[in-house]
Amino acid sequence: MRGGVDRRLCEEFSPGYYGICTVGGMLSAGTTHLAITPFDVLKVNMQVNPIKYNSISSGFSTLWREQGPSSLWRGWSGKFFGYGIQGGCKFGLYEYFKRLYSNVLVNDNRTFIFFLSSASAQVFADVALCPFEAIKVRVQTQPHFAKGLADGFPKLYATEGIAGFYKGLFPLWGRNLPFSMVMFSTFEHSVDIMYKNIIQRKKEDCSRVQQIGVTCLAGYAAGAVGSVISNPADVIVSAFYNKKAETVLQAVKNIGLANLFTRSLPVRITIVGPLVTLQWFLYDTIKVLSGLPTSGGFSRRLEKEAAAANLSG
């Protein structure tokens, strides 16, 4: 069978379609972020205390020895629920904005549409994520702060109010907006390159297995490139939440410009590459099982809509 399953649960760009994309984003992001919680715990501690946690192997050993094996799963609830909600917003809204901007900005190139669509989606996604991230980072780096979301939310609200939940919103945007823009654009162009130059067939003429394979390869490329671009802001976010700095300039001064790009980068690439690959795999598997085409590029329907909008304009 080629191009998907025989029956579709809904048509492309219908409310049901965006609902499936949102649910797919929630499940793919929530489960994958939950799975890599131990690496995330190490990454955050390496950013906050690079002298003590100076490598992947020694960092895990130190955490295990001083805080026990359970410390590696600290903050799991923030990862699962926070990034699940963020993923739902990010993937679902990206699909919506991609269609919207394709019909409005008919004369603009695709890269600009990918950038604008992903940035628009990420703004909303990070607003939803920020309170969960505020609790997660504190739980992972301050062992006596709270056990998880249930006691972390009321404690943070009691000490810092609503503002405490959104202290890291701008650094979060600084980290995730470039990552999302680069990640989605790299993914989209990687998919096009593989179909045109490697497989040399249209997506619709390929089997579901081939389509999912293209998704995974494009997903890994997108994750690796995005992690390098967004690493400085990720380091600053951890510094903010652990009161190592109060402003971006202070964080840059304390950490050092070169360290912003290199601190915890190996462990972050180790996390992000496979993480993004698995997210795209799960997300597109859910779409295929729903009878929808896999992600990447402009579908035939979107091409026709853009062409019609161009003619009417």
Side-chain angles (χ1 to χ4, degrees):
M1 188 182 300
R2 302 196 179 276
V5 296
D6 290 328
R7 295 182 180 179
R8 292 187 175 187
L9 295 182
C10 58
E11 290 299 316
E12 277 189 275
F13 314 127
S14 66
Y17 171 78
Y18 296 120
I20 290 173
C21 292
T22 300
V23 172
M26 291 179 67
L27 292 176
S28 63
T31 54
T32 51
H33 276 279
L34 174 64
I36 54 89
T37 297
F39 286 96
D40 187 63
V41 172
L42 175 61
K43 181 205 72 172
V44 172
N45 279 279
M46 289 177 72
Q47 292 170 341
V48 174
N49 194 345
I51 296 177
K52 185 175 182 179
Y53 303 97
N54 54 21
S55 71
I56 295 177
S57 59
S58 65
F60 274 128
S61 177
T62 300
L63 283 169
W64 187 288
R65 183 179 64 255
E66 294 186 357
Q67 302 180 32
S70 62
S71 66
L72 299 178
W73 292 96
R74 190 174 291 135
W76 70 267
S77 57
K79 293 284 288 180
F80 179 69
F81 293 105
Y83 283 91
I85 293 173
Q86 186 213 40
C89 294
K90 180 169 67 176
F91 282 94
L93 288 175
Y94 174 74
E95 300 280 1
Y96 171 79
F97 284 120
K98 179 179 167 183
R99 184 197 184 196
L100 175 66
Y101 294 139
S102 297
N103 290 332
V104 174
L105 306 173
V106 292
N107 294 319
D108 289 273
N109 64 48
R110 291 184 177 183
T111 299
F112 180 70
I113 291 174
F114 297 150
F115 278 167
L116 189 58
S117 301
S118 55
S120 300
Q122 194 67 51
V123 166
F124 292 98
D126 282 348
V127 170
L129 168 66
C130 201
F132 296 90
E133 185 78 351
I135 302 298
K136 178 192 76 74
V137 174
R138 286 174 171 84
V139 168
Q140 290 178 337
T141 59
Q142 302 172 24
H144 302 294
F145 174 77
K147 293 182 179 180
L149 296 179
D151 55 339
F153 271 113
K155 184 172 183 179
L156 183 59
Y157 179 76
T159 56
E160 301 184 32
I162 293 294
F165 293 106
Y166 289 96
K167 180 184 293 185
L169 180 59
F170 288 103
L172 203 60
W173 277 336
R175 178 188 75 183
N176 290 343
L177 280 172
F179 176 84
S180 184
M181 293 166 69
V182 170
M183 188 268 285
F184 275 103
S185 180
T186 301
F187 176 84
E188 297 273 11
H189 286 300
S190 296
V191 168
D192 282 339
I193 289 171
M194 279 187 274
Y195 280 119
K196 290 179 181 178
N197 300 330
I198 300 177
I199 299 178
Q200 298 182 344
R201 278 187 291 170
K202 293 182 178 179
K203 179 196 294 187
E204 294 81 4
D205 297 328
C206 296
S207 68
R208 288 178 292 174
V209 173
Q210 289 173 320
Q211 291 182 25
I212 293 295
V214 168
T215 291
C216 291
L217 291 173
Y220 188 84
V225 174
S227 63
V228 174
I229 297 296
S230 61
N231 196 66
D234 189 53
V235 175
I236 291 174
V237 168
S238 294
F240 272 16
Y241 282 134
N242 287 278
K243 300 181 180 179
K244 300 290 184 178
E246 295 296 329
T247 66
V248 173
L249 290 178
Q250 185 182 359
V252 173
K253 182 179 179 181
N254 293 345
I255 299 169
L257 187 61
N259 288 332
L260 287 176
F261 288 90
T262 59
R263 182 173 293 178
S264 76
L265 182 60
V267 69
R268 192 153 189 265
I269 292 177
T270 301
I271 295 172
V272 175
L275 175 72
V276 173
T277 304
L278 188 55
Q279 279 185 14
W280 280 110
F281 169 76
L282 294 174
Y283 177 67
D284 268 5
T285 297
I286 291 171
K287 291 176 73 173
V288 166
L289 292 176
S290 301
L292 299 169
T294 55
S295 304
F298 280 42
S299 67
R300 287 182 176 178
R301 180 169 174 178
L302 196 55
E303 292 275 14
K304 291 178 181 180
E305 288 184 358
N310 192 20
L311 289 174
S312 63

